[in-house]
Amino acid sequence: MSLPKTLAEDVARNLVMVAKLIDEDPEQAYAYSRIALRLASRVAAVREAAGFAAYATQKYAEALAEFRAARRMTGSVELWPVMADCERGLGRPERALAMAGEPEVQKLDKAGQVEMRLVVAGARRDMGQLDAAIVTLQSPELASSSVQPWTARLRYAYADALLEAGREDEAREWFAKALEADKDGATDASDRLAEMDGVEFLDAAVEDEDQDAEQDAVEGDER
C-alpha cells in the first residue's frame, strides 16, 4: 500500500524510532509504534513493528493480533515463531506446540526453524517437561562448530535447561560455548558463568560511595 509522501515520511520517522529504542527503552518504542499504527494501520511493516514493540513490553495478546494482521497482509510465514512465543507469553504453551506441527514451519528458513526450536523448548519447560526441552535443543545446529546468528542463543538455552536439570558441569560447558559465540552480547552467558563460579561483581559507583562513607567515618573519629 502506497502512502502520500508527507504521511509516508511521518510513518517512517516513527518506525525509525521504534527500531532505535526497542532494546533500550521498549515502552517508548511502543509509544512510537502506536503513533505509526494510527497513521498507517493498513501497512504491513507498521503492523509488524507494532507487534514487536508490544512483544517487547510483554503485551502478548496485542502483539499476537498485530503479527496476525501483518501475516494476513503479506502471506509470509516469517513471524510464525514469534507468534508461537506470544502464545507462550499468554500462558498457552500447548498452542505453541501445536503451531510447531503446522505446515508453516517447513516453509521457514534455517534461522526461523532454529527460532521455532527455541520456542518449542521453552513451551516444554513451561509445561514442566524439562527432559523433553533438553532433547528438543539437541540438534545439528547445536552440535555445529560453525557460528551463526542464532548459535549463542541456542547454546545459552541448552545450558540454561541443563542447569535447571541439575547438570551443572554440562551447563557450565555450554554457557562457555555460548559466550564464545556471543560476539554481540545477545546473552548474559558471562554473568551466568560468574554466578556459577561464585564471583560477585560490585557496582563501581556503590563501591566508591562505601569508600567515601568509610573515609568520613575515619575522619569523624579523628576529630
Side-chain angles (χ1 to χ4, degrees), residues 25-37:
D25 190 348
E27 288 292 347
Q28 192 62 37
Y30 175 77
Y32 279 108
S33 77
R34 301 305 297 176
I35 295 171
L37 196 58

Side-chain angles (χ1 to χ4, degrees), residues 149-169:
W150 58 77
T151 302
R153 291 178 59 241
L154 184 59
R155 292 177 179 178
Y156 182 94
Y158 188 57
D160 193 46
L162 289 170
L163 185 60
E164 186 177 343
R167 295 160 61 176
E168 291 191 11
D169 289 343

Side-chain angles (χ1 to χ4, degrees), residues 7 35 41 67 79 85 115 119 153 155 159 184-185 190 210:
L7 179 57
I35 295 171
S41 62
F67 290 141
L79 296 171
D85 206 40
E115 195 64 37
V119 173
R153 291 178 59 241
R155 292 177 179 178
D184 301 322
S190 60
D210 290 343

